[in-house]
Structures are given as C-alpha cells and as structure tokens.
Amino acid sequence: MAGTAVRGRLTWQTATVGSVTDETPTVRTLALEVPGWPGHRAGQHVDIRLTADDGYQAERAYSIASAPGEPLAITVERLDDGEVSPYLTEELRAGDLLEVRGPIGGYFVWEPAVGGPLLLVAGGSGVVPLRSMLRERASAGSQVPVRLLYSSRSLDDVIYRAELDMAADGVSVFHALTRSQPPGWTGYARRVDAQMLAEVAWPVADGPLAYVCGPTSFVEAVAAGLVGLGYPAGRIKTERFGATGQ
Ligand SMILES: Cc1cc2nc3c(=O)[nH]c(=O)nc-3n(C[C@H](O)[C@H](O)[C@H](O)COP(=O)(O)OP(=O)(O)OC[C@H]3O[C@@H](n4cnc5c(N)ncnc54)[C@H](O)[C@@H]3O)c2cc1C
C-alpha cells in the first residue's frame, strides 16, 4: 500500500550491523540488516542516525552500495576530523545497532529501462551509488554500454578495486590517480579536466546519460565540463556529498 511505503521511508528503523568489509585503509562497507526493508533502487541513499549515551544525536546521508534485491549496504569513507564517519568505520562491529531511514531519492537513480549509454563519473566515495548501478546492470542482464571515469588519490584509495577490475562486458573503467601513481601506471595521473572528459565521454550524438557523484567541487567541475562538451544539462544527473571526499 502506498501509505505504508511512504510511512516506512520516513520512519527511523533499527538496523543491525552484519558483515563489515574493509575496502581501503580508510573505507569500510557495512551490511545492514533492517527487518522489513522495502527494497531500494540503484542510486538512492539512506540517512543514518547515531545517538550518544547523553542523548546527543547526529545524522548523515549515505548512498546505498548494494544493488536492488541485495541486502542493504553502505560504504563509508573515514574523515579523520569528522564526527560520524570515524565511528562508522572504526568503532562499529557486527551485531551493533544504529538507526536507518530510507530509501531516499528518486532523481539520481538508474534502472535498466532508463537506458543509456551511461557515463558514470566518480570522485572518491562518489563511486558508491554508481557501483549499485553497475551491479544492477549486471544482475538485470542489461547490455547498456557504460564508461566509468573514477578519480582517486592513489591506487590504494580505489574503492571496489577488485570488482571494478573485473568489469562486465560493455563496461569500460578509466582511473585517474590524482596524488600518487604506482610504477608503470598507464591510467590518468591528474585531476579530471575538460581534456580527460573529452577523451572518455560518449559522443553527444549517441544521447548519453551522465551520472556524476562526489565532493561538491568535483561534481560542479565535471558537470560544467560535460556541458562544455555539449551534453544537455537535463542529461547530467548529479549527487553532491558536500565538502568531503577526495
Ligand atoms: C546524498 C549523500 C550521499 C552520501 N553518500 C556517502 C557515501 O556513500 N559514503 C561516504 O563516505 N559519504 C557519503 N556522504 C557524505 C556523508 O553524509 C558525510 O558528510 C561524511 O561521512 C562526513 O561526515 P562526518 O560526520 O564524518 O564529518 P563532519 O563532522 O560532517 O565533517 C565533514 C567535514 O567538514 C568539516 N567541517 C565540519 N564542521 C565544519 C565547520 N563548522 N566549518 C568548517 N568545516 C567543517 C570537517 O572538518 C570535515 O572535513 C553522502 C552525502 C550525501 C549528501
């Protein structure tokens, strides 16, 4: 019933932390068990709320890392001076409880019927909702061609590296490492710029759809670059994580 679904999305629910997976030295994926989870779409997010012993509460948004049909999971990057992310990435253990509200968002979502070709551009943890989209594409057997341009500080900071290395047919992954590169690195070795976008992006004539996610300044620079290439603004979907990330 629609009323039930709406109430479910807006209500805080207790989640139990399931498995905890280290993705990089500073990034961790948390599987969350939420009784009666209504399911989600690729690209949506949840709100997480923590309550301290003295009643102080803090809320943050986290993109859903798992594909539709998979159990809920989030992937959190630790900001050393942050309030919430150090707790989520260092303190939480399997069996701990926290509060979740969602799924949230109907704009930054992709499902096979939306089509493509898809240009996915991520900065740092901005790859999280795009990973959900890639998983959804694979599990649905979609043939939509995809190019992912993913900017990280170093190879060790690449989230989901093994999974991205085994990209499915029709998916091309381009890495940009902004701060350090391993010996023999053949990928990009600078921040995403107009020249890089021109090399990686689908031609405008193909009618691509772009999803751009990451720190606010990254997203704005990439979106401006795509508009400069002739992408119609309405074909560029953006998700800003705030002044965080890489
Ligand atoms: C839709 C959405 C989806 C998101 N998805 C993800 C995700 O998948 N993974 C992920 O890791 N993050 C994601 N984020 C970011 C996440 O919500 C948090 O912002 C992030 O985890 C940092 O939270 P924090 O409490 O650790 O840091 P905060 O305490 O909020 O601090 C963040 C930064 O701001 C600085 N800061 C804090 N207060 C001030 C101040 N008063 N003045 C100046 N600077 C200040 C801090 O030094 C720190 O660098 C998402 C955000 C949005 C909006």
Side-chain angles (χ1 to χ4, degrees):
M1 232 171 77
T4 308
V6 168
R7 195 161 53 244
R9 282 200 301 275
L10 298 178
T11 304
W12 289 103
Q13 293 174 273
T14 301
T16 307
V17 178
S19 62
V20 169
T21 308
D22 287 328
E23 305 285 357
T24 76
T26 58
V27 176
R28 184 169 269 191
T29 293
L30 305 171
L32 301 175
E33 295 158 10
V34 184
W37 178 247
H40 55 268
R41 298 159 74 198
Q44 288 187 302
H45 67 274
V46 291
D47 289 336
I48 298 286
R49 184 166 73 179
L50 303 177
T51 305
D53 291 342
D54 65 1
Y56 173 76
Q57 294 187 318
E59 269 176 55
R60 296 290 184 276
Y62 291 97
S63 296
I64 298 173
S66 47
E70 296 178 338
L72 179 64
I74 59 172
T75 299
V76 182
E77 177 181 19
R78 184 182 75 234
L79 302 184
D80 287 331
D81 56 353
E83 187 176 46
V84 169
S85 61
Y87 178 80
L88 296 178
T89 51
E90 292 177 329
E91 306 292 332
L92 269 186
R93 299 282 177 271
D96 286 350
L97 304 179
L98 43 70
E99 286 181 289
V100 175
R101 182 171 64 182
I104 299 168
Y107 155 77
F108 194 82
V109 297
W110 181 82
E111 48 208 356
V114 171
L118 287 183
L119 175 67
L120 309 179
V121 188
S125 55
V127 75
V128 175
L130 309 184
R131 186 255 204 147
S132 175
M133 294 176 191
L134 288 172
R135 285 194 163 200
E136 165 71 340
R137 175 189 180 279
S139 69
S142 165
Q143 301 297 313
V144 165
V146 180
R147 291 179 185 166
L148 167 64
L149 174 58
Y150 179 17
S151 175
S152 310
R153 292 189 196 99
S154 73
L155 197 56
D156 285 344
D157 292 309
V158 173
I159 305 171
Y160 314 133
R161 188 166 136 202
E163 187 171 325
L164 295 177
D165 280 351
M166 296 187 301
D169 271 359
V171 178
S172 303
V173 179
F174 303 83
H175 288 283
L177 302 183
T178 57
R179 292 197 191 167
S180 67
Q181 303 82 30
W185 176 249
T186 55
Y188 290 110
R190 62 185 198 273
R191 292 161 76 99
V192 174
D193 56 24
Q195 174 66 30
M196 197 185 297
L197 286 170
E199 288 168 11
V200 171
W202 298 100
V204 174
D206 291 352
L209 187 56
Y211 290 77
V212 185
C213 186
T216 300
S217 57
F218 174 90
V219 170
E220 287 174 0
V222 171
L226 292 175
V227 169
L229 288 176
Y231 274 57
R235 300 289 287 171
I236 306 170
K237 291 178 179 275
T238 57
E239 183 88 292
R240 294 164 173 78
F241 280 5
T244 62
Q246 58 150 36

